[in-house]
Amino acid sequence: MRPSGRELNQMRPVSIETGFTKHAEGSCLIKVGDTHVLCTATIEDRVPPFIKGSGLGWVTAEYGMLPRATNTRMRREAASGKQGGRTVEIQRLIGRALRAGVDRVALGERQITVDCDVLQADGGTRCASITGGWIALRLAVNKLMKAGDVISDPLVDPVAAVSCGIYAGQPVLDLDYPEDSEAGVDGNFIMTGSGKLIEVQMSAEGSVFSREQMTSLLDLAQKGVDELVAAQKAATA
């Protein structure tokens, strides 16, 4: 039995509120159980120097957690003068994931920055950030298309992410914090709406896992991503 009482292949409840902030070109508040992330997308008519003049667009991301997103207060990274290694790794992951679903030629020479701010954490913050980040990106690109600034849709395939792991010897979908903190195997699966893999982060946290278990986790991840993509499409319809 999972601590939450969920079935092994059951996601936490997912809710998405779009247009959550006034000024961003695209925004949403995504809630996956008790993990809540505010995602905003900002369009700028510039690109990083390394692709300037190439005609290619760029999508990047930034990630952060509020001091009381967790059960004890975390010091703001700005107060220490630098980002932690975990933060840098996650925001690079989010950027890579989102770019996988973008036709950068169709986007044109402009940059979209997706900011993911964790308001409340209960496991799976990077997965919720990627899933919500895609929604904010979708809404921002819709504005570009409506204004006629892009001719064809640069978003070629939705991107979503979910965690899976081995908890109490069983493969489970969408780990919350009590499961994540005790899982023998923990993984994050980033996929497209068409079922292609973008990135898989898997590690044994105390017990090794078999190829058969890996396959079962992939199957669970596919189910979870299918549900998340359906929620993305419903939120941006």
Side-chain angles (χ1 to χ4, degrees):
M1 178 66 71
R2 304 177 70 173
S4 63
R6 286 182 287 148
E7 299 293 329
L8 299 179
N9 65 349
Q10 185 179 356
M11 290 279 296
R12 288 174 288 178
V14 176
S15 71
I16 299 163
E17 182 179 347
T18 59
F20 192 76
T21 65
K22 176 180 179 180
H23 300 293
E25 282 79 20
S27 69
C28 78
L29 176 66
I30 182 168
K31 297 180 180 180
V32 183
D34 284 333
T35 290
H36 303 170
V37 184
L38 171 61
C39 303
T40 58
T42 302
I43 302 170
E44 298 175 282
D45 289 323
R46 64 178 183 86
V47 291
F50 64 89
I51 58 169
K52 191 172 183 179
S54 68
L56 297 173
W58 189 247
V59 175
T60 188
E62 293 189 12
Y63 168 95
M65 297 180 70
L66 295 186
R68 282 313 305 266
T70 55
N71 59 356
T72 58
R73 185 184 188 276
M74 298 178 297
R75 188 183 184 199
R76 293 182 190 273
E77 290 182 324
S80 65
K82 65 177 182 179
Q83 290 181 310
R86 177 182 180 274
T87 297
V88 173
E89 182 262 323
I90 290 176
Q91 64 189 26
R92 287 177 177 171
L93 170 69
I94 298 167
R96 287 196 306 273
L98 296 179
R99 286 194 296 273
V102 177
D103 180 344
R104 291 169 54 204
V105 174
L107 181 59
E109 203 162 315
R110 58 177 53 86
Q111 174 171 288
I112 301 180
T113 301
V114 177
D115 288 290
C116 302
D117 293 289
V118 179
L119 310 183
Q120 183 171 285
D122 186 42
T125 62
R126 72 187 68 192
C127 293
S129 295
I130 290 168
T131 304
W134 180 263
I135 296 168
L137 181 62
R138 171 77 272 171
L139 296 172
V141 166
N142 285 351
K143 289 192 175 182
L144 285 174
M145 295 176 65
K146 186 175 181 179
D149 294 329
V150 294
I151 299 171
S152 60
D153 189 355
L155 302 190
V156 294
D157 206 356
V159 174
V162 71
S163 64
C164 297
I166 307 294
Y167 174 79
Q170 296 285 343
V172 297
L173 173 63
D174 188 25
L175 282 72
D176 54 24
Y177 181 75
E179 294 171 332
D180 188 30
S181 61
E182 296 185 13
V185 177
D186 183 21
N188 298 302
F189 297 80
I190 308 165
M191 306 175 72
T192 67
S194 59
K196 300 293 193 302
L197 289 166
I198 297 172
E199 191 156 338
V200 176
Q201 300 177 326
M202 286 284 295
S203 60
E205 302 284 352
S207 62
V208 295
F209 56 99
S210 66
R211 183 176 296 217
E212 289 74 21
Q213 287 175 314
M214 177 69 173
T215 300
S216 68
L217 293 176
L218 276 168
D219 290 341
L220 285 176
Q222 181 68 71
K223 177 183 183 295
V225 167
D226 286 346
E227 293 178 18
L228 291 170
V229 169
Q232 288 174 327
K233 290 179 177 179
T236 57

